[in-house]
Amino acid sequence: MASTTPARTRQSAAARKRTAAKPAGDLDFEPIRIAADDEIEEERVPLFYIGDDEYTIPKHIPRGVALQYLRHASEVGHELATAPLLIRVLGEDAYMALEQSKALEDEQLERIVDIIVTQALGKQEKEGKATRRG
C-alpha cells in the first residue's frame, strides 16, 4: 500500500542520526527535532458541563494553536480571533453547545474564554510578562 506521506518528509533512523551528527554550518546549534503528530497522544480534561454533558479541552494545547491565534489576532484583533480559537480548542460540538445554551451567563463565558486563552498562550504571554532572549 502506498504511503500518503511525501517522501521528502520521511527519513530513516540512520539518516536522522547522520543529519543530527552534522554541524549546522558555522552556527552554534543543532537542528530541533519535533515529534510527528501521530506520535502525540492528546489527553483531554473537563472544562465545563451543560446539564450532565461534559465538554473537554486538551490538557496541553499545542503551541501551533497559539501561533495560529496570535497570527489571526495580529490581522483582525484579539476579540475577533477568539471565536476561531474556541472552535479549534473546544471542537465544533462543544462550541455549538455553548452558542445554543440559554443558561450560559456572561461570567461563565468570560471564564471559559480566559481559561482557553491562558492555556493556549501560557500565563506569561497572556499577562504580557514574556521575556525575550537576545
Side-chain angles (χ1 to χ4, degrees):
M1 176 182 282
S3 172
T4 58
T5 304
R8 63 185 166 83
T9 62
R10 297 179 142 225
Q11 290 183 328
S12 69
R16 285 192 298 268
K17 286 180 183 175
R18 284 193 304 272
T19 301
K22 292 181 184 176
D26 58 351
L27 301 175
D28 294 339
F29 66 88
E30 291 294 325
I32 297 167
R33 295 250 169 241
I34 300 170
D37 288 346
D38 60 352
E39 296 173 9
I40 304 299
E41 208 171 300
E42 182 180 83
E43 182 180 350
R44 296 185 70 89
V45 295
L47 177 62
F48 64 90
Y49 294 84
I50 297 178
D52 291 332
D53 295 330
E54 177 182 85
Y55 296 93
T56 64
I57 62 170
K59 184 173 183 179
H60 301 286
I61 296 174
R63 296 297 93 192
V65 173
L67 293 172
Q68 181 183 38
Y69 170 71
L70 291 172
R71 179 171 36 91
H72 195 205
S74 73
E75 296 167 353
V76 300
H78 287 283
E79 287 183 10
L80 293 177
T82 300
L85 172 67
L86 295 178
I87 294 168
R88 174 102 188 255
V89 172
L90 290 170
E92 189 70 36
D93 291 341
Y95 185 83
M96 290 298 293
L98 280 176
E99 189 177 273
Q100 295 173 1
S101 173
K102 295 176 182 173
L104 179 63
E105 297 177 5
D106 288 343
E107 297 82 26
Q108 293 169 322
L109 180 57
E110 287 175 24
R111 182 72 179 127
I112 290 168
V113 170
D114 185 55
I115 289 169
I116 291 173
V117 170
T118 299
Q119 290 297 110
L121 297 181
K123 291 178 183 172
Q124 290 183 339
E125 288 291 329
K126 183 166 184 315
E127 294 172 4
K129 296 180 182 175
T131 57
R132 293 182 184 213
R133 294 180 185 187

